[in-house]
Amino acid sequence: MPGFELFGEEERAQVQEVLDSGVLMRYGFDGMRNGHWKARELEIAIAERMQVNRVHLVSSGTAALTVALISAGVGAGDEVIMPTFTFVASFESILAIGAIPILVDVDDTLTLNPKAVENAITAKTKVVMPVHMCGSMADLNALKSICNKHGLLLLEDACQAIGGSYEGKPLGSIGDMGCFSFDYVKTITCGEGGAMITNNKDFYENAHKYSDHGHDHLGNDRGAETHLFLGYNFRISELNAAVGCAQIQRLDEFLSIQERNYTILRRALEEIPQITFRRVPEGGVENYSFLNFFLPNEALTRKVHKALLEAGIDACFYWYDNNWHYYRKWEHLIQKKALAKLPEEVINGLPDYSKADFSVSDQWMGRTISCLVKLSWSQGYVQKRAQKIKEVVLASL
Ligand SMILES: *Cc1c(COP(=O)(O)O)cnc(C)c1O
């Protein structure tokens, strides 16, 4: 997945232009910039690639989720439905605005199970937030019709699936809003950065203002701008955006390398009858950043994962035991361990997750192994790696 594997001249040249102009901030200093507006350029490039009208860049994917939620009017006590398998940023962004993360089971897509979503809807629900984990997507048609039926917003977290598509549309562009991360380990990277994309003009207008202290961004005198509402600082710097300007041009190149490497690994594992693969919803195309597969039961999965580690096969993950990606190890959320007092709405509204039953998720995640697909691997190396993985798996069964 990581775009950092393939930094080159393009990234250097982009950053050099920013350093030469001396303007590291995305707003203002018009006279000094030599025409360089890297954040703006990157927003235009993302809008074009993702086929949306509006893009707003921010300092991280987590910030993008936070800004997307508040820009859509989500606030204290509102409920946001999210999956049990994701990254902690999902509930962090929800809690950051005083809203309530409602955890819901995943299915064999490793993303939100639409039936479980529908069962979790209450009068307080405002948003359904599918997370397209490990390169593939949620069943977006099913989620969309649930959202339409109940008057809810659909916010796609596409941080791990940039470049994937669903019924011909880029992931992130299908819901009311979509978010990307450009942190250091994502398919394309800015070092740190994120983006919120939408076709909703109001959400976009709120987003760029909110993430820059409420600035209205009218005229060319920042000090004279007015503030219609309270904001925050989630700005991206020009240096980060410059790296992104080079990386977005390479997204399709990266995706084709990932697809080639993924396919080699998959063909090898398809020869093992006990292995099944994560379900990709009909009409979906993965971004091939991970190969995700199931073994017949938890014990065998643990055994295979251990054997892969012992054989020196790195970057194959058993998320079921992971501290950051699966609810079982989110004891800070489960025990409501905050640094300081949480808002009353959160204290009163957050379900008691110590008593939750996510055994349906456990059934899938306990049997899942995800192997990262790297960009820097040569075809010859991937073939050897695929053979090795196959041998290790067969020896463990
Ligand atoms: C990386 C990631 C985020 C957060 O992005 P940051 O830029 O690291 O803040 C959110 N959701 C998912 C699924 C991610 O993988």
Side-chain angles (χ1 to χ4, degrees):
M1 169 156 89
F4 74 75
E5 294 177 275
L6 298 182
F7 277 147
E9 284 310 314
E10 298 95 324
E11 285 79 4
R12 275 188 210 99
Q14 287 282 350
V15 172
Q16 195 61 49
E17 283 181 4
V18 175
L19 290 173
D20 289 346
S21 78
V23 181
L24 309 189
M25 184 177 180
R26 70 163 299 178
Y27 297 114
F29 303 94
D30 300 22
M32 289 166 61
R33 315 184 73 97
N34 293 330
H36 295 307
W37 299 89
K38 297 301 181 189
R40 242 189 242 174
E41 273 173 39
L42 180 53
E43 285 167 352
I44 292 166
I46 294 171
E48 196 171 300
R49 177 61 178 78
M50 299 304 162
Q51 301 166 32
V52 289
N53 298 332
R54 318 271 160 179
V55 175
H56 183 60
L57 281 173
V58 287
S59 50
S60 71
T62 312
L65 292 166
T66 309
V67 169
L69 287 169
I70 201 163
S71 296
V74 180
D78 292 335
E79 292 181 356
V80 179
I81 291 176
M82 57 163 276
T84 51
F85 173 49
T86 176
F87 177 53
V88 291
S90 301
F91 60 77
E92 288 171 345
S93 60
I94 297 165
L95 289 169
I97 56 168
I100 316 290
I102 301 297
L103 272 55
V104 158
D105 274 322
V106 297
D107 58 22
D108 57 345
T109 64
L110 305 185
T111 64
L112 281 177
N113 175 341
K115 281 211 185 69
V117 168
E118 194 144 33
N119 291 338
I121 293 171
T122 72
K124 290 184 179 166
T125 310
K126 277 269 182 82
V127 180
V128 176
M129 190 202 278
V131 184
H132 306 319
M133 284 299 281
C134 300
S136 182
M137 78 280 337
D139 187 344
L140 286 164
N141 274 345
L143 294 178
K144 220 169 172 170
S145 64
I146 291 169
C147 286
N148 289 342
K149 182 171 150 198
H150 296 271
L152 308 175
L153 293 166
L154 184 63
L155 166 54
E156 293 175 80
D157 178 340
C159 291
Q160 291 196 11
I162 190 167
S165 65
Y166 182 75
E167 297 188 336
K169 292 196 192 119
L171 295 178
S173 74
I174 295 142
D176 298 280
M177 298 168 286
C179 290
F180 298 117
S181 163
F182 305 120
D183 80 22
Y184 193 55
V185 297
K186 296 306 199 293
T187 302
I188 57 172
T189 181
C190 287
E192 299 284 358
M196 174 261 208
I197 70 175
T198 185
N199 287 312
N200 185 310
K201 186 165 181 283
D202 295 336
F203 296 169
Y204 166 76
E205 286 296 324
N206 289 340
H208 74 78
K209 290 167 188 160
Y210 178 77
S211 55
D212 184 24
H213 306 291
H215 272 271
D216 62 17
H217 297 144
L218 296 173
N220 55 9
D221 178 359
R222 266 180 78 75
E225 288 178 17
T226 61
H227 29 70
L228 295 169
F229 48 76
L230 296 167
Y232 203 76
N233 179 2
F234 286 120
R235 287 191 310 258
I236 191 166
S237 88
E238 285 286 276
L239 285 171
N240 294 95
V243 179
C245 286
Q247 291 256 302
I248 187 86
Q249 302 304 333
R250 309 179 70 185
L251 175 60
D252 291 309
E253 171 199 339
F254 290 178
L255 294 173
S256 67
I257 299 171
Q258 282 182 176
E259 183 178 1
R260 180 200 70 187
N261 292 349
Y262 169 107
T263 306
I264 295 170
L265 295 171
R266 178 154 177 153
R267 292 283 171 270
L269 290 182
E270 275 171 350
E271 291 167 21
I272 304 173
Q274 292 92 334
I275 283 187
T276 51
F277 295 87
R278 175 234 197 119
R279 178 167 63 87
V280 177
E282 211 184 311
V285 177
E286 298 182 66
N287 89 338
Y288 306 106
S289 53
F290 288 85
L291 176 65
N292 309 279
F293 56 93
F294 304 117
L295 285 138
N297 57 56
E298 182 187 328
L300 266 182
T301 313
R302 287 184 179 282
K303 193 172 163 201
V304 166
H305 181 249
K306 189 159 169 270
L308 287 169
L309 281 177
E310 284 167 3
I313 304 283
D314 64 335
C316 287
F317 302 98
Y318 185 55
W319 302 122
Y320 192 60
D321 287 343
N322 186 279
N323 283 348
W324 298 95
H325 291 285
Y326 196 50
Y327 82 94
R328 292 200 320 143
K329 294 284 178 74
W330 295 339
E331 74 287 339
H332 54 337
L333 175 68
I334 295 165
Q335 295 162 22
K336 307 184 192 189
K337 269 199 224 164
L339 207 47
K341 188 175 175 292
L342 289 163
E344 289 297 332
E345 286 87 349
V346 172
I347 295 169
N348 298 329
L350 196 63
D352 182 355
Y353 285 123
S354 69
K355 298 199 175 78
D357 172 11
F358 294 121
S359 52
V360 176
S361 301
D362 291 343
Q363 290 297 323
W364 293 111
M365 297 311 301
R367 297 170 41 205
T368 302
I369 291 178
S370 296
C371 290
L372 184 65
V373 175
K374 288 198 184 169
L375 294 167
S376 55
W377 292 338
S378 71
Q379 193 162 337
Y381 170 76
V382 187
Q383 273 155 353
K384 273 192 221 129
R385 183 179 171 94
Q387 232 14 69
K388 185 91 184 263
I389 292 177
K390 188 177 144 192
E391 279 164 28
V392 171
V393 173
L394 283 173
S396 312
L397 292 174

